[in-house]
Amino acid sequence: TDYLGQALLLAGSVASGVVLLVSWQFYSRAPGLDSGSVLCLALSQAYSTTTLLVAASLPLNFVYESAEMLEMIHRSRYLIFDCACLPSIVWCLVLIMHQSGDQLGPLGIIAGRLLAEPLRTPSLILLGCAHLVASSLAGSDCARYPFSHDNCLGVLYWRPSRFTQRMRYPWLAVTRTLWAFSIYCLLMQGRVPLLLAAGAFHLAYHGHVSRWQYKAWEIFVQPFAGALLCAALLMALNVSLSCSSLGTCLVLTPAGPVPLWGGPSRLRL
């Protein structure tokens, strides 16, 4: 069972890495708020998964001798992903609404007007302030709240003893917004992947939304749920991955294709 836990985390790291690479190439091809928001989410997810994998691979004597340091490293997972980067999902949804325009009916029209001049700058400042406030409140509690350790399939990890109300602010805002938007997209466009990704993401991170209840095995499904959500957001932004054979994969973006490995210079025109 010890190796099973590490194998699951390794598979999750691979999934997170692929999504991160696609997001990175999307940003390199078309730098902007939309690509930057997805990249921020993918980076934080990859950091969280890699931290779990590295910590699970350490020898036991090192774990016993450096328990405080490992707790600090696991605390950083929550500070970076749960507190700082989680609200980037809302940024992605807002920008998807803006890009979809009339296709999303009234919601797309409203987003289009709010993100068009002269309202664009005030709207982005307001969204940024909401992000900053929610992240700061959650981070202030997460930085000092006691952590407890748990073990599942031979993987020892630390998590908050409970999620305080402040630590739940980003999760409640993001999950409710994600559910509402994904259901709206299903009704307006018949878009199923985003709804499935929202359900998987909420289920995998239920222990973060709830104050007390959680499942120890959540850490093994969270990387896959995070990668699935990033993939669904990329699809909603009209980004896809096309592979003809090993080593010839293209990231197809609205700004044009870019190789999955390397930069645009590798394209043969």
Side-chain angles (χ1 to χ4, degrees):
T1 56
D2 292 355
Y3 294 108
L4 176 60
Q6 294 180 22
L8 289 173
L9 288 178
L10 179 60
S13 297
V14 172
S16 299
V18 171
V19 172
L20 173 59
L21 186 56
V22 173
S23 303
W24 184 275
Q25 296 292 25
F26 176 32
Y27 182 79
S28 69
R29 184 65 173 178
L33 284 175
D34 50 358
S35 57
S37 299
V38 179
L39 179 59
C40 179
L41 179 64
L43 278 169
S44 62
Q45 177 67 43
Y47 173 80
S48 179
T49 306
T50 304
T51 301
L52 276 170
L53 178 61
V54 172
S57 304
L58 295 174
L60 286 178
N61 59 339
F62 182 85
V63 172
Y64 291 134
E65 295 172 359
S66 309
E68 291 185 3
M69 183 188 71
L70 290 175
E71 179 182 334
M72 179 184 66
I73 293 175
H74 281 272
R75 188 185 298 271
S76 72
R77 292 175 48 235
Y78 292 90
L79 286 169
I80 293 174
F81 180 74
D82 294 58
C83 301
C85 296
L86 185 67
S88 61
I89 295 175
V90 177
W91 286 85
C92 292
L93 300 182
V94 171
L95 294 165
I96 290 170
M97 282 186 270
H98 171 58
Q99 291 188 10
S100 299
D102 296 344
Q103 297 178 7
L104 283 180
L107 201 59
I109 295 174
I110 293 173
R113 291 178 178 175
L114 289 175
L115 293 180
E117 298 297 345
L119 296 178
R120 179 178 176 83
T121 300
S123 299
L124 293 178
I125 290 176
L126 184 61
L127 184 58
C129 288
H131 183 161
L132 181 62
V133 169
S135 296
S136 299
L137 291 174
S140 63
D141 274 12
C142 184
R144 63 173 184 266
Y145 200 80
F147 271 49
S148 58
H149 62 269
D150 205 338
N151 186 295
C152 185
L153 297 180
V155 175
L156 178 67
Y157 67 98
W158 279 258
R159 72 185 314 277
S161 299
R162 74 178 179 91
F163 274 73
T164 66
Q165 187 62 33
R166 286 185 172 187
M167 292 166 66
R168 293 172 67 229
Y169 283 156
W171 278 105
L172 293 175
V174 167
T175 52
R176 290 173 181 177
T177 304
L178 183 58
W179 271 116
F181 182 72
S182 58
I183 293 174
Y184 183 83
C185 286
L186 178 66
L187 296 176
M188 296 297 296
Q189 296 180 307
R191 187 179 290 171
V192 178
L194 188 58
L195 181 63
L196 295 177
F201 190 74
H202 194 168
L203 178 64
Y205 285 94
H206 175 71
H208 296 225
V209 181
S210 172
R211 284 192 178 186
W212 300 97
Q213 298 178 353
Y214 76 97
K215 304 296 183 182
W217 48 261
E218 285 181 352
I219 59 170
F220 300 112
V221 297
Q222 286 169 357
F224 298 102
L228 181 62
L229 179 60
C230 286
L233 293 173
L234 287 168
M235 289 174 61
L237 290 168
N238 297 317
V239 178
S240 60
L241 181 64
S242 175
C243 295
S244 58
S245 60
L246 185 62
T248 58
C249 294
L250 289 179
V251 179
L252 306 178
T253 76
V258 59
L260 181 64
W261 310 101
S265 60
R266 286 194 57 192
L267 285 174
R268 295 180 179 178
L269 301 178

